[in-house]
Every structure is written in structure tokens, then in C-alpha cells.
């Protein structure tokens, strides 16, 4: 089990288009395991590989007690929409109402390269759309209409991470007696 640090809004890896997975090896299975562990630990409903700094088309989800992963997803969306609160582990503590398709059929492969289809509505559909967006460098606030996005950007600027990578603060458990190492 390896919990990975989650990249924060402002990190360029979140804006890159992730590459399709072509090699289904042990390294990929480790990535899926790390994504799953990191997502469950956070906790979050989903986590995409770019959020841990890996620009590959892989994400995990944990919705209604079901945990899974999908690789190289291709989505079919319903015309019917839903509107409701959405959040992102890369924008900690913030939630904004976001319009999404009500239902989705996501085709892709699992970590062994076998074809899989994940079908869902409501929260699962929202999660799959959100995570697939991450693979295209899209962050959910991009999906907001103008007024909502303006309000969201204001809230982001008011966070302590201010829309950029949070500063890393290391506190030594031991006294350094004035000689920081
Ligand atoms: Zn996200």
C-alpha cells in the first residue's frame, strides 16, 4: 500500500493530455493499487492518474460502496442532464454545482487489458465524467458556466493553497539546536 501525494490545482500535470496505456505490466497494476489506496485514504469518489503526477489514461472510482478502475476510457453520455455539487481532491475543501450528463456508458480495459464496460447514472456517472476529464487536462471548474466559474475562482483565490501548489512545510520532530539540516 502506497499513498501518493495528490497534485493541487495549478500543477501543470493536471493540464496535460494523458497518454493511452499500451503496456499492461506490473508497474501498471502498482499504479492502479496506489490510486485506489490514495483515493480511499483521502477519501474521494474518484482519482485519476494525473492527480498523482502520472500522465496516463487511468482512473479509479469508489461510489456507492463499489470500488473499481478503468483504463483508456471512451464515454457515451445520455442527453438527460443532472446538476449538483461536485468536488475534486486537487481542489481540497471546495464544492461547486456542476452540470453533467445524467448517465454514462464507459468502455475501456482493466489492468490486465481485458475489455470492460462501466455503466452508471447520477453520482457514478458524474464521477466517471469528472475522472475522464482529468485525462484530457480538464478540471471540473472548466465545466461551470461563466457566473459559477467566477464565483469558484474567487473561492479558490481565498484558499490557503491559493490555486497553486500548497507550500510544503516540514516540521522536524527533533530539535535541530539551531542547525537546520
Ligand atoms: Zn478531480
Amino acid at each position: 500500500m502506497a499513498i501518493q501525494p495528490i497534485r493541487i490545482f495549478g500543477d501543470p500535470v493536471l493540464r496535460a493530455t494523458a497518454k493511452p496505456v499500451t503496456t499492461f505490466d506490473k508497474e501498471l497494476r502498482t499504479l492502479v493499487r496506489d490510486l485506489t489506496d490514495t483515493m480511499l485514504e483521502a477519501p474521494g469518489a474518484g482519482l485519476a492518474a494525473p492527480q498523482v503526477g502520472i500522465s496516463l489514461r487511468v482512473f479509479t472510482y469508489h461510489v456507492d460502496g463499489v470500488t473499481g478502475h478503468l483504463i483508456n476510457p471512451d464515454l457515451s453520455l445520455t442527453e438527460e442532464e443532472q446538476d449538483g455539487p461536485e468536488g475534486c481532491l486537487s481542489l481540497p475543501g471546495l464544492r461547486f454545482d456542476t452540470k453533467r450528463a445524467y448517465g454514462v456508458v464507459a468502455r475501456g480495459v482493466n489492468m490486465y487489458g481485458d475489455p470492460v464496460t462501466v455503466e452508471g447514472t447520477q453520482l457514478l456517472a458524474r464521477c466517471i465524467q469528472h475522472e475522464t476529464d482529468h485525462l484530457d487536462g480538464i478540471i471540473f471548474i472548466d465545466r461551470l458556466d461563466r457566473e459559477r466559474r467566477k464565483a469558484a475562482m474567487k473561492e479558490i483565490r481565498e484558499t490557503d493553497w491559493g490555486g497553486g501548489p500548497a507550500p510544503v512545510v516540514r516540521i522536524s520532530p527533533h530539535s535541530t539546536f539551531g542547525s537546520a539540516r
Side-chain angles (χ1 to χ4, degrees):
M1 178 155 134
I3 309 293
Q4 302 294 329
I6 295 173
R7 304 300 180 95
I8 299 300
F9 180 69
D11 190 313
V13 74
L14 295 174
R15 288 306 191 183
T17 302
K19 290 189 193 69
V21 171
T22 53
T23 310
F24 297 84
D25 57 4
K26 191 163 170 280
E27 204 178 329
L28 177 68
R29 293 194 290 277
T30 301
L31 171 62
V32 170
R33 202 163 46 236
D34 287 356
L35 281 173
T36 304
D37 292 344
T38 305
M39 168 185 70
L40 295 176
E41 160 81 13
L47 189 65
Q51 290 180 277
V52 296
I54 310 290
S55 202
L56 284 175
R57 304 187 77 79
V58 182
F59 70 76
T60 57
Y61 59 89
H62 177 70
V63 177
D64 300 331
V66 178
T67 306
H69 71 279
L70 193 61
I71 297 169
N72 301 342
D74 182 39
L75 307 191
S76 304
L77 306 176
T78 61
E79 262 178 52
E80 191 188 342
E81 288 191 329
Q82 57 175 320
D83 191 5
E86 191 163 316
C88 180
L89 293 173
S90 295
L91 287 90
L94 301 179
R95 286 173 89 76
F96 305 109
D97 284 345
T98 309
K99 285 184 186 138
R100 295 285 186 182
Y102 178 77
V104 62
V105 178
R107 291 185 179 81
V109 293
N110 64 18
M111 59 184 164
Y112 304 103
D114 305 320
V116 286
T117 301
V118 183
E119 204 171 337
T121 58
Q122 302 181 61
L123 187 57
L124 181 56
R126 177 178 293 282
C127 173
I128 289 169
Q129 291 169 77
H130 178 113
E131 300 312 327
T132 302
D133 272 353
H134 273 303
L135 309 182
D136 293 320
I138 296 168
I139 294 169
F140 81 106
I141 54 166
D142 302 341
R143 298 283 185 193
L144 305 179
D145 60 37
R146 211 171 139 264
E147 280 308 304
R148 284 180 178 183
R149 190 162 56 238
K150 225 172 109 183
M153 289 310 295
K154 185 170 178 287
E155 271 195 60
I156 288 168
R157 281 193 299 271
E158 286 164 1
T159 63
D160 55 2
W161 41 271
V168 177
V169 180
R170 289 196 181 84
I171 298 168
S172 168
H174 310 290
S175 168
T176 57
F177 302 103
S179 58
R181 297 192 284 149

